[in-house]
Every structure is written in C-alpha cells, then in structure tokens.
Amino acid sequence: MKEWLKSNKKVTRVIKDVAELANYLWQRGWAERNAGNISYNLSGMIGEEFSQMEDYPIFNLDRSYDALKNGYFFVTGTGKRMRDLARSPMKNACILKLTGEGNKYHIISRNKKNLYDFRPTSELPTHLSIHEQLVLNKSENRAVVHTHPNELVALTQIKEFTDEARINHVLWGMHPESVVFVPRGLALVPYTLPGTENIARETLKRLSDSDVIMWEKHGTFAVGVDVLDAFDKIDILSKSAQIFFMVRQAGYTPEGLSDEQIIELKKKFHSEY
Ligand code: 2HA
Ligand code: ZN
C-alpha cells in the first residue's frame, strides 16, 4: 500500500490535505476526542489495481448507493482522533471501495490482519448520501467535512437562533465576508440522533439550498472541491459567531449589517441575487 500510494500523486495529495485539516480542527478545539469525520470521493483517481477484491472481507451498508457503485472513498475511522489523524492519516482513516451492487464495501488500504479493529466513521450514511447526491448533480465537490465548531454549536443552544432566518441574519451581519463566501447560508437540521439513516436523510434535504448544514446542538457539515475548501465555509461562519459572542461578552449588542447591506453584497458578488 505504501509503494502504491507513493506512485499515486492525486491520492497522496488528498491524504496530505486531510492530515492538514485534521490538525486545524484539533488546534481550533473543534475536535475533542473522536469528534468529527472527513471523506473524499477518490473515484476516477484509482485505476484497475483493486478490481479483484474477492479475497477481502466485505462489510454491509444500511442501504444501496446506486450512483456510487464501484466508487473509492477516503474516509476517517470511527473512534479515531483528529490529532492522531494529523500525524498518521493511514492508521486513522481508510480507503474503501463500494461493490458493484453499491450496498457493501471493502476496505482496501489495510491488510487483512488489522482489518477487523477498524471501521469507517459512524456518520458514513450521511457522508455517502451526500457523495451520492453530489455525483448525481455532476458537482465538482468531492470533499465532505463534519466538525464541532464551538461558537456555531453554542448559537444553536439559544432558542432564538434555532430559527433559520434569524441565525443567518445574525451570522451574515457580523462580517461581510460571510455573505460573500457563504451566500446561501446555514441550513438548520433540528436535533436528530447522530449516526443514523434518519439524520442522513434530513441532511440531504438541505444540501442543494445551503452552503453549510448545521446539526442543532451538535456540529456542521460542509462540502467542497477539496477538504480545505469545505473547511473554509465553516471557518467563515464560525468567525461570525465568534464576533457575535465577543461583542456580547463585552456587554454590548452587536449592531450587525442591515438587510440592505447584506443584499448589496449578494448582488455585487453573486449574479443570481
Ligand atoms: O465522529 O462527530 O457525529 C464522531 C462524531 C459523530
Ligand atoms: Zn459529530
């Protein structure tokens, strides 16, 4: 696997990016213990070398992902720490391959001896559902990032901000860049049990009309052309939430940008508005 990876520059680049991101998430305090998970669609970056997988153990998925049949994914492991992933990505993540039926997968990046002590992230249903939708939409986005950004999660602990229009108005109002780079805003998914098909379905419903999806009282999901692009969207909104709390902690009420100023920014930077 080591030799093969060395020869595949594209896959190596993805793994380097994931390790870099894992370090950022840990440094920001968004990745306590095993918090967060990352995936990247590697399909098209791997040739025929893994076409014979009969010898490898096979694992079941809860449902079939028709658009991802025979697809390859780099996926972080369940129970693994971002700070460990930053140092040793291949020990704390895996490359998996979906079967030709799309309802099972092989882990191709681990040898058979150490295969059974490793499983992909508990949020695999959400990650695969998002990748499937991205493929169906012919999107250029291949990366999916889930993390627990403190200030954004904190906002969803305040009843007033579980109103989607309200939370977006506040976030956009804290900094013009958030309007420029996150123009469709945050989609709020009401609290749902993590690691389930149910939360995957609720998340998927909001993929096409938002830039960042917030699981109430839990964390965020974002997609991007690479993992750092996905991270940037969360980071920008997080900055807005930090400014909001900073002003509040100083004893003031943040003024925010006006509706007119927000619309003006959208019109200048996004022709569809
Ligand atoms: O990977 O963040 O949502 C741990 C989690 C589950
Ligand atoms: Zn989580």
Side-chain angles (χ1 to χ4, degrees):
M1 181 45 61
K2 257 192 194 146
E3 285 309 307
W4 172 78
L5 267 181
K6 251 190 227 160
S7 70
N8 192 320
K9 298 275 179 291
K10 283 185 179 164
V11 174
T12 302
R13 178 77 253 161
V14 170
I15 297 170
K16 277 199 176 134
D17 283 353
V18 171
E20 185 179 334
L21 171 62
N23 185 36
Y24 296 161
L25 299 180
W26 166 248
Q27 295 296 342
R28 273 181 168 63
W30 296 359
E32 70 287 355
R33 200 177 184 280
N34 60 320
N37 28 77
I38 305 166
S39 66
Y40 187 95
N41 186 346
L42 298 171
S43 308
M45 298 182 175
I46 297 178
E48 295 295 305
E49 54 271 45
F50 299 103
S51 51
Q52 299 302 319
M53 296 303 301
E54 286 79 15
D55 285 353
Y56 271 77
I58 196 160
F59 301 97
N60 287 323
L61 291 164
D62 286 345
R63 71 172 180 89
S64 151
Y65 297 86
D66 289 347
L68 304 181
K69 287 174 180 172
N70 293 312
Y72 293 92
F73 296 86
F74 187 74
V75 179
T76 55
T78 194
K80 303 297 183 193
R81 291 168 168 82
M82 286 295 160
R83 63 178 189 263
D84 294 333
L85 187 71
R87 272 185 290 113
S88 314
M90 293 311 287
K91 282 197 184 135
N92 294 282
C94 71
I95 299 175
L96 58 83
K97 184 188 183 195
L98 264 68
T99 60
E101 300 84 49
N103 61 353
K104 295 183 176 67
Y105 65 89
H106 298 285
I107 297 176
I108 67 167
S109 59
R110 303 177 78 83
N111 63 40
K112 284 161 234 170
K113 275 204 299 265
N114 67 7
L115 199 56
Y116 285 102
D117 61 3
F118 183 93
R119 283 291 176 284
T121 168
S122 56
E123 305 296 358
L124 193 60
T126 299
H127 281 262
L128 291 181
S129 299
I130 292 176
H131 284 299
E132 184 172 52
Q133 194 66 52
L134 293 174
V135 168
L136 288 170
N137 292 348
K138 298 192 167 41
S139 167
E140 58 175 359
N141 291 323
R142 283 174 171 263
V144 179
V145 173
H146 167 61
T147 186
H148 298 171
N150 299 326
E151 289 83 358
L152 285 171
V153 177
L155 268 182
T156 70
Q157 288 286 354
I158 303 168
K159 188 82 191 142
E160 178 187 348
F161 298 118
T162 55
D163 178 289
E164 200 170 288
R166 182 93 190 89
I167 196 170
N168 277 305
H169 191 266
V170 164
L171 291 172
W172 282 326
M174 291 302 105
H175 203 289
E177 298 277 282
S178 64
V179 186
V180 178
F181 292 105
V182 193
R184 296 180 305 169
L186 189 89
L188 266 181
V189 171
Y191 181 80
T192 307
L193 187 66
T196 58
E197 273 293 323
N198 201 12
I199 202 163
R201 264 195 308 276
E202 293 306 312
T203 308
L204 204 58
K205 281 185 199 161
R206 303 307 311 277
L207 188 64
S208 59
D209 68 354
S210 63
D211 295 303
V212 174
I213 297 166
M214 178 88 218
W215 287 356
E216 187 190 305
K217 303 185 179 91
H218 179 155
T220 49
F221 265 89
V223 303
V225 289
D226 56 41
V227 294
L228 298 168
D229 178 40
F231 165 76
D232 280 340
K233 295 169 193 170
I234 302 172
D235 195 31
I236 282 172
L237 285 189
S238 165
K239 170 96 171 196
S240 286
Q242 286 173 37
I243 293 170
F244 173 80
F245 283 118
M246 207 177 262
V247 177
R248 279 282 178 96
Q249 275 159 10
Y252 297 93
T253 301
E255 191 172 51
L257 300 175
S258 67
D259 284 342
E260 292 71 27
Q261 288 166 332
I262 292 171
I263 290 166
E264 181 185 42
L265 279 161
K266 285 195 183 180
K267 284 202 169 131
K268 177 164 163 54
F269 290 95
H270 299 278
S271 52
E272 65 269 31
Y273 289 100

